Amino acid sequence: MATMIEENGPSTIEPSLLSPSSRARQKLEGLLNKNMRIRMTDGRTLVGLFLCTDRDCNVILGSAQEFLKSTDTFSQGEPRVLGLAMIPGHHVVSIEVEADSLEDAHGFGPSH
């Protein structure tokens, strides 16, 4: 059973009755406040807490750190602390959720 919060309060809906977009939304909501690593088109990597996204795939990260593209494949250099950061969707190359964050999320971590 899935519980959805609606304007009139929570309601319980069978998972099989949810639309694909509702299931996708639930998965996305499950990733809120998880650590993410976002690679950008200019080679930079931002790591921070996933706080928000929108229809244009813009992403807001909290407590973000920036890692510059390194010429040495073994070192990433010192991170630059950004704090709150907005990444435009058209600059996102890939998004990874850190494994330790996933273990806390229902439906994303390894089965026990």
Side-chain angles (χ1 to χ4, degrees), residues 1-4 6 11-20 22-23 26:
M1 290 275 192
T3 301
M4 295 185 64
E6 297 177 353
S11 65
T12 304
I13 300 173
E14 288 289 329
S16 59
L17 299 177
L18 292 174
S19 70
S22 293
R23 284 192 298 269
Q26 273 190 327

Side-chain angles (χ1 to χ4, degrees), residues 6-99:
E6 297 177 353
E7 288 183 39
N8 298 332
S11 65
T12 304
I13 300 173
E14 288 289 329
S16 59
L17 299 177
L18 292 174
S19 70
S21 63
S22 293
R23 284 192 298 269
R25 181 182 176 126
Q26 273 190 327
K27 281 194 172 195
L28 200 55
E29 286 175 353
L31 295 175
L32 288 172
N33 298 313
K34 304 298 181 217
N35 283 319
M36 288 194 164
R37 176 182 314 272
I38 299 179
R39 287 185 175 74
M40 298 172 48
T41 55
D42 62 1
R44 292 181 293 163
T45 300
L46 298 182
V47 178
L49 291 175
F50 174 57
L51 298 179
C52 175
T53 189
D54 62 15
R55 291 179 191 191
D56 297 323
C57 297
N58 299 315
V59 177
I60 304 287
L61 292 181
S63 303
Q65 294 182 325
E66 174 188 55
F67 294 87
L68 298 178
K69 185 176 180 181
S70 177
T71 55
D72 180 8
T73 58
F74 295 105
S75 68
Q76 289 243 343
E78 288 294 315
R80 184 172 78 150
V81 176
L82 301 178
L84 194 62
M86 192 280 281
I87 302 100
H90 62 275
H91 287 297
V92 173
V93 172
S94 68
I95 298 177
E96 300 171 32
V97 180
E98 293 186 358

